[in-house]
Amino acid sequence: MSEDVQDQVAEEEEQREEQRPALDPEVAARRRAALAHVRQFPDPVLKTRALPVERFDDALREEVERMGILMEDALGIGLAATQVGNLQRLLVYRVEQDSPVNALINPVIEWTGKEQEILEEGCLSLPGVLVDVERPVYVRVHAQNEFGEPLTVEASGLEARVIQHEMDHLDGVLILERTSRDQRKRAMREMREAERERESA
Ligand code: NI
């Protein structure tokens, strides 16, 4: 894609962004407060591999609860512990509005289906970035819950995608590394421009 076309695409995306209905001020304030606790690119912790959880104690359960609240307040559908600077193999997610928050500890992918799908993904650690990521549609994950009990999750579609996205975080992998070179370059440029705008504001 030429730079001109890229700029045009970026402009159209900006317009779409502006057309999105504004958040309720209280919701927006809660979201900003939550995002202040989420590490943002290029924080090196986001490139760090998390370590297995060995102690299933009250501190762990408090962390699960805290991360669930942060995720909800940030209007995210998933959050990995590395994103809050905690290098434990722990993630939370919730793909349906009114369902409880799920926690997966020490998750391991046991099986993935052959079918792959490309969909746009965002990330709380990469504000404003949306890139196409190809992932398996079906996964089976073995993990533990916050009490150390084994659990198996068979997921498809959005749930499978969120789990894989958050598991990537636990290995220090961001969606920038899962997308095409062109989209990565565009995302990096947009982040730099947003940064400059914030600095000059
Ligand atoms: Ni993410």
Side-chain angles (χ1 to χ4, degrees), residues 78-80 83 121-126 165-166 169 173-175:
L79 186 66
Q83 290 181 277
E121 290 186 24
C123 179
L124 294 177
S125 294
L126 296 161
H165 174 119
E166 303 310 331
H169 275 301
V173 174
L174 296 171
I175 50 176

Side-chain angles (χ1 to χ4, degrees), residues 157-176:
L158 183 60
E159 185 181 13
R161 182 166 289 269
V162 172
I163 292 172
Q164 292 174 85
H165 174 119
E166 303 310 331
M167 283 184 69
D168 271 352
H169 275 301
L170 300 181
D171 291 328
V173 174
L174 296 171
I175 50 176
L176 296 173

Side-chain angles (χ1 to χ4, degrees), residues 13 17 31 122-131 186-187 190-191:
E13 270 164 20
E17 183 92 8
R31 179 163 198 264
C123 179
L124 294 177
S125 294
L126 296 161
V129 169
L130 287 173
V131 291
R186 175 171 57 81
E190 283 170 8
M191 279 191 289

Side-chain angles (χ1 to χ4, degrees), residues 9 13 26 55-56 72 74 78 87 97 110 121-123 134 146-147 154 160 172:
V9 169
E13 270 164 20
E26 204 184 309
R55 290 171 58 149
F56 293 82
E72 286 184 354
L87 291 177
Q97 187 87 59
E110 278 191 340
E121 290 186 24
C123 179
E134 183 173 26
E146 60 267 49
F147 299 96
E154 299 209 1

